[in-house]
Amino acid sequence: MTERATQAPDRLLDPIARISESLFGLFMVLTFTGSLSVGEAGRQDIRTMLVGAIGCNLAWGLVDAVMYLISSVIARGHGLATLRAVRRVADSQEAHRIISDALPPVVASVLGPADLEAMRARLKQLPELPTSQPLRKDDWLGAIAVFLWVFVSTFPVVIPFMFMHDATRALRVSNGVAVVMLFWAGYSLGRYAGQSPWRTGLAMVLIGVVLVGITMALGG
């Protein structure tokens, strides 16, 4: 808990956050590629679509990188506030509740009053922590990594349009790449959640197609 009070959560190692960001970016890119009318599209139309799709990915990566920096500072600040609350409260039961709330539910469920009291005693013995948590080098490196992950993980969908002159064939290859990426995302989430990876992968493909269709129908 003391480390969590002074460090940001390692989102880069969180499979759910990592795959979710890839899916969000993928859905947005598919709204661009899916809106292309291959029967009437010329090179200028394809170029416009590419500029829009790549620009959208860049913007999404930038927004998520900024949110990573904000969440890092807020997470450390919340950890410090929790620590101060534990050290300030006089009622032991209230202190135990604060500690339990700060822990993962599974961990908190196996801790008894004696365990929580021992943690409370150790927390009260810690030296005084800083009042503010400025951005650090690791935060900036993490934000850059998030930006690159969001951009690179969704870029393969637009690659066929950059190297194939036949718009129809490029769209088919692009859609094939998108289906594979959707399946991979669902497969990975299924394994992480202890569910059937194949079933989750197929479900993600179906969900992705439906969501992109709804987005395009609404003018997205």
Side-chain angles (χ1 to χ4, degrees), residues 50-159:
L50 285 174
V51 171
I54 294 174
C56 184
N57 267 1
L58 288 172
W60 179 260
L62 179 61
V63 168
D64 200 57
V66 172
M67 292 306 300
Y68 175 88
L69 293 175
I70 294 174
S71 64
S72 297
V73 174
I74 291 177
R76 287 201 299 270
H78 178 70
L80 288 173
T82 301
L83 178 57
R84 294 192 187 98
V86 172
R87 298 171 66 168
R88 182 177 59 248
V89 68
D91 183 19
S92 61
Q93 291 187 351
E94 178 64 15
H96 295 173
R97 183 193 64 78
I98 296 173
I99 295 173
S100 296
D101 291 343
L103 296 172
V106 175
V107 176
S109 66
V110 299
L111 297 178
D115 301 314
L116 295 171
E117 183 60 28
M119 295 180 65
R120 178 194 181 197
R122 293 185 62 184
L123 292 174
K124 295 186 69 172
Q125 294 173 0
L126 291 175
E128 192 63 32
L129 296 176
T131 57
S132 62
Q133 289 292 322
L135 290 172
R136 304 182 303 201
K137 179 181 178 180
D138 290 345
D139 297 326
W140 292 105
L141 291 176
I144 293 173
V146 167
F147 172 81
L148 293 176
W149 173 263
V150 172
F151 179 71
V152 173
S153 63
T154 57
F155 193 66
V157 178
V158 300
I159 290 180

Side-chain angles (χ1 to χ4, degrees), residues 152-200:
V152 173
S153 63
T154 57
F155 193 66
V157 178
V158 300
I159 290 180
F161 294 98
M162 301 174 64
F163 298 99
M164 301 178 69
H165 295 285
D166 188 333
T168 301
R169 183 176 299 176
L171 182 60
R172 289 174 180 173
V173 174
S174 175
N175 289 339
V177 172
V179 169
V180 172
M181 293 181 66
L182 286 170
F183 179 81
W184 167 82
Y187 187 93
S188 300
L189 288 175
R191 289 188 60 185
Y192 182 78
Q195 304 296 321
S196 171
W198 289 93
R199 187 180 304 169
T200 310

